[in-house]
Amino acid sequence: MATQKVGGEVDAQCTRCKMNLAHTILAMVGPKIVRVRCNTCGGDHAFRGTAGVTDRPTKASTRAPRAASSGGSTRAEKVVISFDEQLAGKDLASAPKYSPKDTYKVDQVLHHPTFGVGLVTAVRGDKVDLTFRTDTKTLVHGRGGVPADRPVFSPPTNKHTGPADKPQAELPPDSEAAAEISLPSGD
Ligand SMILES: [Zn+2]
């Protein structure tokens, strides 16, 4: 075993430099180094040993991330499923035409007049996420009176947004849109 003594040098993890650096031993208790001074920054601190390499096996030495140095095999591989693969097994022939009035569910295939064949990947209330061949889109659904997964929240008025001392003759155009959404059964 290496003999270490006060005034000697030891590699240790410097708390300030955050690196394994040469330190001068300041104090020892029996065979154990308890206090060191960093030769780089000159700071005194308790001896912590080195982060990766120690003179005796500790659990710190097993924590070294070996995977990082073993080439590209450890890189998390992103599994890319092609659009055609996603559609495999789906009944494209009976895929309905997209309508915001219909209600869709995950994995359903539909035809969109603009984007073409789309696959429903997520349903969030009155919105559906669709994967198309060239893009992903979030569209509305369940607007035709068919109950969606959760009730559509539609505030009856938005009057308290305006100042009370002003007549609300000119409502912003979005109040019209809100009214349209709140209709229970489209047209
Ligand atoms: Zn230091």
Side-chain angles (χ1 to χ4, degrees):
M1 88 169 42
T3 49
Q4 290 161 327
K5 58 184 195 301
V6 173
E9 276 203 355
V10 65
D11 283 342
Q13 172 80 1
C14 175
T15 52
R16 292 194 201 173
C17 303
K18 313 278 192 221
M19 301 168 68
N20 291 330
L21 292 165
H23 282 66
T24 301
I25 300 170
L26 294 181
M28 294 183 71
V29 174
K32 278 179 63 181
I33 303 166
V34 294
R35 195 150 187 90
V36 291
R37 173 178 293 156
C38 175
N39 292 356
T40 304
C41 68
D44 294 2
H45 56 82
F47 178 69
R48 287 161 181 267
T50 55
V53 184
T54 55
D55 55 355
R56 63 175 69 185
T58 67
K59 60 182 183 226
S61 62
T62 61
R63 286 175 57 197
R66 287 160 194 281
S69 59
S70 61
S73 62
T74 55
R75 215 176 301 160
E77 279 184 39
K78 188 180 173 187
V79 178
V80 178
I81 301 173
S82 76
F83 187 68
D84 289 316
E85 282 174 307
Q86 288 185 69
L87 290 181
K90 308 280 188 224
D91 190 358
L92 299 187
S94 66
K97 211 175 127 202
Y98 166 75
S99 163
K101 293 175 182 177
D102 289 340
T103 301
Y104 301 107
K105 56 184 191 291
V106 173
D107 265 1
Q108 192 167 2
V109 179
L110 51 85
H111 283 285
H112 191 279
T114 307
F115 308 119
V117 175
L119 176 68
V120 178
T121 55
V123 175
R124 293 166 292 152
D126 60 348
K127 301 228 172 33
V128 282
D129 288 344
L130 280 152
T131 300
F132 295 100
R133 186 174 293 279
T134 55
D135 209 351
T136 57
K137 297 281 176 194
T138 299
L139 303 171
V140 296
H141 76 145
R143 294 286 172 84
V146 181
D149 287 351
R150 63 180 169 85
V152 178
F153 173 68
S154 47
T157 61
N158 53 2
K159 270 186 183 164
H160 36 231
T161 57
D165 59 344
K166 227 174 163 185
Q168 302 222 342
E170 289 178 17
L171 285 172
D174 61 313
S175 66
E176 219 178 322
E180 190 184 319
I181 290 168
S182 66
L183 281 177
S185 54
D187 31 316

